Amino acid sequence: MIRIQLNERSLTLAEGTPLSQLRADAMPDADVVIYNGHQIAEDVTLLDGDQVVLWRKGRQPSREELEALLVARHTPEVHRRVKNATVGIAGLGGLGSAVAVALARTGVGRLKLVDYDVVEPSNINRQQYFLDQLGRPKAEALAETLARINPFTVVEPTVLLIDEENIFPTLAGCDVLVECFDDPATKAMFVRVAAPLTPVVAASGMAGYGTANEIHTRRAMKNLILVGDETSEAQPGRGLMAPRVGVVAHHQANAVLRLLLGEEP
Amino acid sequence: MRLTVNGEEHELHGLVTLGELLAAMNVSTQRLAVELNGEVLNPDQYETTKLSEGDRLELVRFVGGG
């Protein structure tokens, strides 16, 4: 006998059972077949420990089925590890809002979001907000968006201006902190206070539309992963735009994921 | 005195403190994070922190944008 997971439920099958037979028995009308995180069309012989997701497009899932489907394309084992993680995001502009969306889609269990500001029209060119959210506190608006993407990620929004004294009462208990501020002095302050205690993924250098290939991720200190080109400062004539800011944000989100999975970013 | 600054070896003459090194490099400390031999320093330590042969220094200068 072998034990597999079908739509996140444990199932015992006879050894040598083909995937096609499981589909015929469990959901003959399934038009989405995901085998160990990979959507496939061909038949395979199932092995002990395999993870299978079957789905019929257009069907409305139950809450239990939904969580399995949301993470069906993850490599097995990744979901369990990220689901147990807590990540703090400080600053919810072009970086922080995109990092939060990526990590919620990845299935991170708990996100702590901190920003003092409200959504305004000049944010929309690069930040993950919508016009019907203008004037709303970013932390609250983003929490609502994340709940629409992945209701299984617990989101704790805080409307607060971060300073040296309130970083740790607000962002205590996080496995990784993500520095997503705009102001360079605040970036440096956050790293000085947070990096002695918690791994920090920070960003520097992303303005303009220079080649995105200059953006890199490196370990700059024992507890600091730094992302960006490290030179392109936002200034008159060199603004912040969705493509490059988004590249940096997704480098940051990937560095967080790698840290959570025990890999060197 | 030989130091490693951001992974590169430097030969320094006549400098005693981190504060003097930062002044000589013309670095604004407001936008800076400093790690000396694996320890992140507070800005109020820069002036009094003495540099020694073989120190490993990481200086991260932040630019604006996010």
Side-chain angles (χ1 to χ4, degrees):
Chain A
M1 301 296 270
I2 59 166
R3 184 171 286 272
I4 66 142
Q5 297 278 321
L6 172 62
N7 292 0
E8 285 291 291
R9 287 202 185 138
S10 200
L11 196 65
T12 306
L13 297 173
E15 214 150 307
T17 302
L19 177 58
S20 56
Q21 193 191 321
L22 175 67
R23 176 169 172 267
D25 294 344
M27 200 185 288
D29 64 348
D31 51 10
V32 176
V33 180
I34 299 170
Y35 174 68
N36 290 340
H38 189 64
Q39 192 156 350
I40 61 172
E42 66 273 23
D43 202 9
V44 294
T45 300
L46 294 169
L47 300 172
D48 199 50
D50 279 350
Q51 299 197 6
V52 177
V53 171
L54 298 174
W55 198 248
R56 173 77 193 173
K57 286 182 187 173
R59 227 177 93 182
Q60 283 301 313
S62 70
R63 192 174 160 87
E64 294 72 38
E65 288 171 321
L66 178 62
E67 186 162 21
L69 292 160
L70 286 175
V71 299
R73 298 296 293 272
H74 289 1
T75 309
E77 270 308 288
V78 167
H79 178 233
R80 188 184 59 76
R81 294 171 77 172
V82 299
K83 191 169 172 56
N84 288 323
T86 300
V87 177
I89 304 174
L92 303 174
L95 295 173
S97 61
V99 168
V101 166
L103 294 180
R105 290 193 194 278
T106 308
V108 169
R110 188 174 295 264
L111 293 176
K112 297 190 178 195
L113 311 177
V114 189
D115 195 295
Y116 74 99
D117 213 351
V118 298
V119 181
E120 47 121 341
S122 72
N123 300 148
I124 303 296
N125 82 323
R126 67 190 189 283
Q127 305 186 15
Q128 300 298 320
Y129 300 102
F130 302 93
L131 290 173
D132 58 16
Q133 294 176 321
L134 292 178
R136 304 271 319 281
K138 288 183 178 179
E140 291 170 10
L142 187 57
E144 280 178 12
T145 301
L146 299 180
R148 293 178 65 198
I149 293 170
N150 184 352
F152 301 99
T153 292
V154 177
V155 180
E156 296 176 15
T158 305
V159 182
L160 178 73
L161 182 63
I162 282 284
D163 61 31
E164 291 187 40
E165 267 67 52
N166 63 24
I167 289 175
F168 274 107
T170 312
L171 292 170
C174 293
D175 299 292
V176 182
L177 294 175
V178 195
E179 178 284 302
C180 296
F181 295 112
D182 183 58
D183 174 62
T186 311
K187 286 173 174 292
M189 178 278 289
F190 186 86
V191 167
R192 290 193 303 257
V193 174
L197 298 169
T198 306
V200 175
V201 178
S204 179
M206 70 211 70
Y209 48 86
T211 171
N213 291 338
E214 285 168 7
I215 290 161
H216 54 259
T217 297
R218 70 176 179 101
R219 186 176 288 276
M221 291 181 176
K222 195 170 65 185
N223 240 353
L224 174 65
I225 306 300
L226 186 64
V227 173
D229 67 18
E230 301 187 45
T231 55
S232 303
E233 176 146 39
Q235 61 190 41
R238 188 163 65 202
L240 293 162
M241 282 175 284
R244 262 179 138 244
V245 175
V247 169
V248 170
H250 287 85
H251 266 255
Q252 287 184 289
N254 194 50
V256 170
L257 179 59
R258 288 183 63 79
L259 287 170
L260 295 178
L261 297 175
E263 305 277 345
E264 175 60 25
Chain B
M1 180 165 58
R2 277 226 285 254
L3 300 182
T4 305
V5 182
N6 291 353
E8 285 182 13
E9 270 208 9
H10 288 268
E11 181 92 40
L12 301 179
H13 302 281
L15 293 171
V16 181
T17 68
L18 174 61
E20 288 168 348
L21 175 65
L22 297 177
M25 293 173 75
N26 203 17
V27 176
S28 149
T29 57
Q30 235 201 345
R31 300 167 159 220
L32 185 71
V34 179
E35 184 184 60
L36 178 61
N37 301 325
E39 296 286 325
V40 179
L41 300 182
N42 230 314
D44 58 19
Q45 296 174 283
Y46 298 167
E47 290 305 322
T48 54
T49 298
K50 290 201 165 61
L51 297 172
S52 310
E53 175 78 22
D55 275 349
R56 297 188 65 85
L57 200 56
E58 296 295 334
L59 306 178
V60 176
R61 277 175 274 194
F62 285 91
V63 299

